Each structure stands twice: as C-alpha cells, then as structure tokens.
Amino acid sequence: MITCTPSRLYLHCFSWPADGEIRLGFLDSRATGGRLLAGGEPVDVSQRDDVLTVRGLLDDALDQLDTVIAIDLDRGPDALPGSSVFWAGEARY
C-alpha cells in the first residue's frame, strides 16, 4: 500500500522482499532519496524512466506487520495511468 504527502511517498510493506528489492512502476515524479521510517536508516533508491527501485533493504522487516519506507520526490507525487506496485522477486510473509 502507498500513502503520500507532498513530495513524499510512504511504501507500506506488509510482506518483505526476499531479494532485498522493491520496484514501483508508473511513477511520473523523480525520487531523490529514501529511508526506513522507523529509525531513519537510509535505503538505496534509483530510478530508470518511470520505475523506482529500492535496494539495500535489511534481511528482515523492522515491523512484521507494516514496515514503512519513505521516498523523497522532486514533486508530486505524480503517477502515470495504470499505477501499480510489484515485487522484484519472492516475498516472505
């Protein structure tokens, strides 16, 4: 699930990616940085065209119910039509 405020997305992770990566497609804003909301530890954020990739996540989720990742944006957030979130690999529940 995604929530937002001006110039920031919050990725709510109810399951954790086994490969340590999350991808978000159809993003029309540019990511400028990211961090785990609990504790503020930075995460590696890169973007190619409209696909945002979050890498370097911890092996295990900080919160088994909902670990939140804050993504800073240059504007928006804005999304292209058909917005969706998809995992880059298997997720652990």
Side-chain angles (χ1 to χ4, degrees), residues 24-56:
L24 172 67
F26 300 99
L27 187 63
D28 199 25
S29 303
R30 301 301 300 173
T32 60
R35 62 185 169 81
L36 296 172
L37 195 58
E41 183 173 338
V43 295
D44 180 33
V45 176
S46 63
Q47 189 169 350
R48 182 174 176 170
D49 299 322
D50 65 323
V51 178
L52 169 76
T53 303
V54 180
R55 293 185 175 92

Tab-separated table of all heavy atoms in Angstrom, residues 24-56:
chain	number	residue	atom	x	y	z
A	24	LEU	N	8.608	0.002	-7.924
A	24	LEU	CA	7.347	0.722	-8.049
A	24	LEU	C	7.282	1.285	-9.456
A	24	LEU	O	8.181	2.030	-9.864
A	24	LEU	CB	7.306	1.854	-7.009
A	24	LEU	CG	6.159	2.835	-7.085
A	24	LEU	CD1	4.856	2.125	-6.741
A	24	LEU	CD2	6.402	3.993	-6.140
A	25	GLY	N	6.251	0.905	-10.194
A	25	GLY	CA	6.147	1.332	-11.581
A	25	GLY	C	5.177	2.482	-11.783
A	25	GLY	O	4.383	2.812	-10.905
A	26	PHE	N	5.296	3.103	-12.937
A	26	PHE	CA	4.406	4.163	-13.402
A	26	PHE	C	4.543	5.458	-12.605
A	26	PHE	O	3.609	6.240	-12.497
A	26	PHE	CB	2.935	3.703	-13.386
A	26	PHE	CG	2.689	2.513	-14.262
A	26	PHE	CD1	2.636	1.247	-13.715
A	26	PHE	CD2	2.522	2.667	-15.624
A	26	PHE	CE1	2.409	0.143	-14.513
A	26	PHE	CE2	2.296	1.568	-16.436
A	26	PHE	CZ	2.241	0.299	-15.880
A	27	LEU	N	5.717	5.698	-12.032
A	27	LEU	CA	5.940	6.912	-11.250
A	27	LEU	C	6.368	8.044	-12.178
A	27	LEU	O	7.350	7.920	-12.916
A	27	LEU	CB	7.014	6.646	-10.188
A	27	LEU	CG	7.251	7.738	-9.172
A	27	LEU	CD1	5.984	7.956	-8.332
A	27	LEU	CD2	8.416	7.377	-8.278
A	28	ASP	N	5.641	9.140	-12.146
A	28	ASP	CA	5.937	10.279	-13.010
A	28	ASP	C	6.733	11.356	-12.286
A	28	ASP	O	7.093	12.361	-12.865
A	28	ASP	CB	4.638	10.856	-13.574
A	28	ASP	CG	4.866	11.710	-14.807
A	28	ASP	OD1	5.884	11.490	-15.504
A	28	ASP	OD2	4.043	12.598	-15.082
A	29	SER	N	6.999	11.166	-10.999
A	29	SER	CA	7.876	12.050	-10.234
A	29	SER	C	9.253	11.400	-10.168
A	29	SER	O	9.394	10.205	-10.408
A	29	SER	CB	7.339	12.225	-8.803
A	29	SER	OG	6.028	12.717	-8.808
A	30	ARG	N	10.281	12.174	-9.813
A	30	ARG	CA	11.633	11.632	-9.683
A	30	ARG	C	11.979	11.466	-8.205
A	30	ARG	O	11.790	12.373	-7.405
A	30	ARG	CB	12.663	12.563	-10.325
A	30	ARG	CG	12.459	12.849	-11.795
A	30	ARG	CD	12.466	11.647	-12.686
A	30	ARG	NE	13.719	10.906	-12.625
A	30	ARG	CZ	13.901	9.731	-13.217
A	30	ARG	NH1	12.937	9.167	-13.884
A	30	ARG	NH2	15.049	9.129	-13.111
A	31	ALA	N	12.506	10.302	-7.866
A	31	ALA	CA	12.925	10.026	-6.493
A	31	ALA	C	14.263	10.702	-6.224
A	31	ALA	O	15.167	10.669	-7.055
A	31	ALA	CB	13.031	8.530	-6.269
A	32	THR	N	14.384	11.295	-5.038
A	32	THR	CA	15.635	11.966	-4.664
A	32	THR	C	16.307	11.317	-3.459
A	32	THR	O	17.426	11.681	-3.125
A	32	THR	CB	15.380	13.453	-4.362
A	32	THR	OG1	14.441	13.563	-3.282
A	32	THR	CG2	14.824	14.177	-5.592
A	33	GLY	N	15.647	10.371	-2.807
A	33	GLY	CA	16.234	9.686	-1.656
A	33	GLY	C	15.197	8.836	-0.957
A	33	GLY	O	14.019	8.878	-1.288
A	34	GLY	N	15.665	8.043	0.009
A	34	GLY	CA	14.740	7.198	0.741
A	34	GLY	C	15.323	6.755	2.071
A	34	GLY	O	16.539	6.776	2.269
A	35	ARG	N	14.431	6.364	2.985
A	35	ARG	CA	14.868	5.911	4.304
A	35	ARG	C	13.771	5.061	4.921
A	35	ARG	O	12.600	5.165	4.539
A	35	ARG	CB	15.173	7.089	5.212
A	35	ARG	CG	13.973	7.970	5.478
A	35	ARG	CD	14.317	9.205	6.289
A	35	ARG	NE	13.223	10.137	6.302
A	35	ARG	CZ	12.161	10.063	7.092
A	35	ARG	NH1	12.049	9.071	7.939
A	35	ARG	NH2	11.208	10.960	7.048
A	36	LEU	N	14.171	4.225	5.868
A	36	LEU	CA	13.199	3.499	6.668
A	36	LEU	C	12.577	4.490	7.635
A	36	LEU	O	13.302	5.272	8.272
A	36	LEU	CB	13.866	2.361	7.427
A	36	LEU	CG	14.467	1.252	6.549
A	36	LEU	CD1	15.261	0.283	7.413
A	36	LEU	CD2	13.368	0.519	5.796
A	37	LEU	N	11.283	4.512	7.731
A	37	LEU	CA	10.627	5.491	8.592
A	37	LEU	C	10.988	5.262	10.061
A	37	LEU	O	11.280	6.209	10.780
A	37	LEU	CB	9.113	5.428	8.394
A	37	LEU	CG	8.334	6.609	8.943
A	37	LEU	CD1	8.798	7.921	8.346
A	37	LEU	CD2	6.852	6.411	8.699
A	38	ALA	N	11.010	4.008	10.496
A	38	ALA	CA	11.415	3.690	11.865
A	38	ALA	C	12.942	3.702	11.933
A	38	ALA	O	13.600	2.901	11.281
A	38	ALA	CB	10.878	2.330	12.286
A	39	GLY	N	13.511	4.630	12.633
A	39	GLY	CA	14.960	4.687	12.792
A	39	GLY	C	15.677	5.575	11.797
A	39	GLY	O	16.789	6.016	12.044
A	40	GLY	N	15.086	5.831	10.639
A	40	GLY	CA	15.674	6.744	9.674
A	40	GLY	C	16.841	6.210	8.862
A	40	GLY	O	17.527	6.975	8.189
A	41	GLU	N	17.101	4.889	8.907
A	41	GLU	CA	18.220	4.327	8.146
A	41	GLU	C	17.997	4.530	6.647
A	41	GLU	O	16.939	4.194	6.118
A	41	GLU	CB	18.365	2.843	8.460
A	41	GLU	CG	19.551	2.215	7.771
A	41	GLU	CD	19.777	0.780	8.221
A	41	GLU	OE1	19.322	0.403	9.304
A	41	GLU	OE2	20.415	0.048	7.449
A	42	PRO	N	18.988	5.090	5.941
A	42	PRO	CA	18.810	5.325	4.508
A	42	PRO	C	18.743	4.016	3.718
A	42	PRO	O	19.322	3.005	4.107
A	42	PRO	CB	20.046	6.136	4.108
A	42	PRO	CG	21.022	5.983	5.205
A	42	PRO	CD	20.288	5.555	6.425
A	43	VAL	N	18.015	4.064	2.602
A	43	VAL	CA	17.960	2.958	1.650
A	43	VAL	C	18.400	3.494	0.296
A	43	VAL	O	18.288	4.687	0.020
A	43	VAL	CB	16.552	2.327	1.564
A	43	VAL	CG1	16.158	1.675	2.874
A	43	VAL	CG2	15.509	3.355	1.153
A	44	ASP	N	18.921	2.626	-0.531
A	44	ASP	CA	19.374	2.991	-1.867
A	44	ASP	C	18.173	3.077	-2.796
A	44	ASP	O	17.423	2.115	-2.926
A	44	ASP	CB	20.379	1.951	-2.365
A	44	ASP	CG	20.897	2.274	-3.748
A	44	ASP	OD1	21.026	3.469	-4.082
A	44	ASP	OD2	21.154	1.324	-4.515
A	45	VAL	N	17.993	4.244	-3.412
A	45	VAL	CA	16.873	4.470	-4.314
A	45	VAL	C	17.432	4.856	-5.676
A	45	VAL	O	18.274	5.746	-5.782
A	45	VAL	CB	15.961	5.596	-3.779
A	45	VAL	CG1	14.853	5.902	-4.756
A	45	VAL	CG2	15.396	5.230	-2.421
A	46	SER	N	16.972	4.168	-6.711
A	46	SER	CA	17.354	4.541	-8.073
A	46	SER	C	16.095	4.544	-8.928
A	46	SER	O	15.089	3.941	-8.576
A	46	SER	CB	18.402	3.574	-8.636
A	46	SER	OG	17.881	2.270	-8.724
A	47	GLN	N	16.172	5.233	-10.060
A	47	GLN	CA	15.005	5.315	-10.929
A	47	GLN	C	15.454	5.304	-12.375
A	47	GLN	O	16.374	6.015	-12.761
A	47	GLN	CB	14.201	6.584	-10.621
A	47	GLN	CG	12.882	6.631	-11.310
A	47	GLN	CD	12.004	7.748	-10.775
A	47	GLN	OE1	12.303	8.363	-9.766
A	47	GLN	NE2	10.919	8.009	-11.470
A	48	ARG	N	14.782	4.474	-13.151
A	48	ARG	CA	15.005	4.427	-14.597
A	48	ARG	C	13.653	4.636	-15.256
A	48	ARG	O	12.742	3.831	-15.065
A	48	ARG	CB	15.603	3.091	-15.008
A	48	ARG	CG	15.890	3.023	-16.475
A	48	ARG	CD	16.602	1.773	-16.829
A	48	ARG	NE	16.764	1.707	-18.266
A	48	ARG	CZ	17.496	0.847	-18.881
A	48	ARG	NH1	18.151	-0.062	-18.185
A	48	ARG	NH2	17.594	0.858	-20.178
A	49	ASP	N	13.550	5.712	-15.990
A	49	ASP	CA	12.278	6.112	-16.590
A	49	ASP	C	11.224	6.219	-15.495
A	49	ASP	O	11.400	6.985	-14.568
A	49	ASP	CB	11.870	5.147	-17.709
A	49	ASP	CG	12.899	5.112	-18.837
A	49	ASP	OD1	13.453	6.165	-19.163
A	49	ASP	OD2	13.161	4.012	-19.369
A	50	ASP	N	10.156	5.438	-15.570
A	50	ASP	CA	9.080	5.545	-14.586
A	50	ASP	C	9.154	4.483	-13.495
A	50	ASP	O	8.263	4.385	-12.665
A	50	ASP	CB	7.719	5.470	-15.280
A	50	ASP	CG	7.471	4.112	-15.922
A	50	ASP	OD1	8.426	3.524	-16.464
A	50	ASP	OD2	6.331	3.643	-15.880
A	51	VAL	N	10.225	3.682	-13.459
A	51	VAL	CA	10.338	2.596	-12.487
A	51	VAL	C	11.344	2.955	-11.392
A	51	VAL	O	12.520	3.176	-11.662
A	51	VAL	CB	10.738	1.264	-13.158
A	51	VAL	CG1	10.890	0.165	-12.114
A	51	VAL	CG2	9.715	0.876	-14.210
A	52	LEU	N	10.848	3.008	-10.168
A	52	LEU	CA	11.649	3.286	-8.988
A	52	LEU	C	12.063	1.957	-8.362
A	52	LEU	O	11.238	1.064	-8.199
A	52	LEU	CB	10.819	4.086	-7.984
A	52	LEU	CG	11.374	4.250	-6.590
A	52	LEU	CD1	12.489	5.290	-6.604
A	52	LEU	CD2	10.286	4.660	-5.636
A	53	THR	N	13.339	1.810	-8.008
A	53	THR	CA	13.829	0.603	-7.345
A	53	THR	C	14.443	0.989	-6.007
A	53	THR	O	15.261	1.894	-5.931
A	53	THR	CB	14.884	-0.118	-8.209
A	53	THR	OG1	14.313	-0.430	-9.484
A	53	THR	CG2	15.340	-1.407	-7.552
A	54	VAL	N	14.002	0.286	-4.967
A	54	VAL	CA	14.553	0.453	-3.624
A	54	VAL	C	15.412	-0.770	-3.354
A	54	VAL	O	14.934	-1.901	-3.450
A	54	VAL	CB	13.439	0.567	-2.557
A	54	VAL	CG1	14.041	0.740	-1.168
A	54	VAL	CG2	12.503	1.717	-2.891
A	55	ARG	N	16.700	-0.563	-3.043
A	55	ARG	CA	17.644	-1.654	-2.816
A	55	ARG	C	18.287	-1.515	-1.445
A	55	ARG	O	18.162	-0.506	-0.785
A	55	ARG	CB	18.761	-1.627	-3.860
A	55	ARG	CG	18.334	-1.925	-5.245
A	55	ARG	CD	19.557	-1.987	-6.176
A	55	ARG	NE	19.167	-2.396	-7.494
A	55	ARG	CZ	18.849	-1.567	-8.477
A	55	ARG	NH1	18.890	-0.271	-8.271
A	55	ARG	NH2	18.498	-2.023	-9.652
A	56	GLY	N	19.025	-2.552	-1.075
A	56	GLY	CA	19.799	-2.490	0.150
A	56	GLY	C	18.956	-2.583	1.408
A	56	GLY	O	19.337	-2.059	2.445
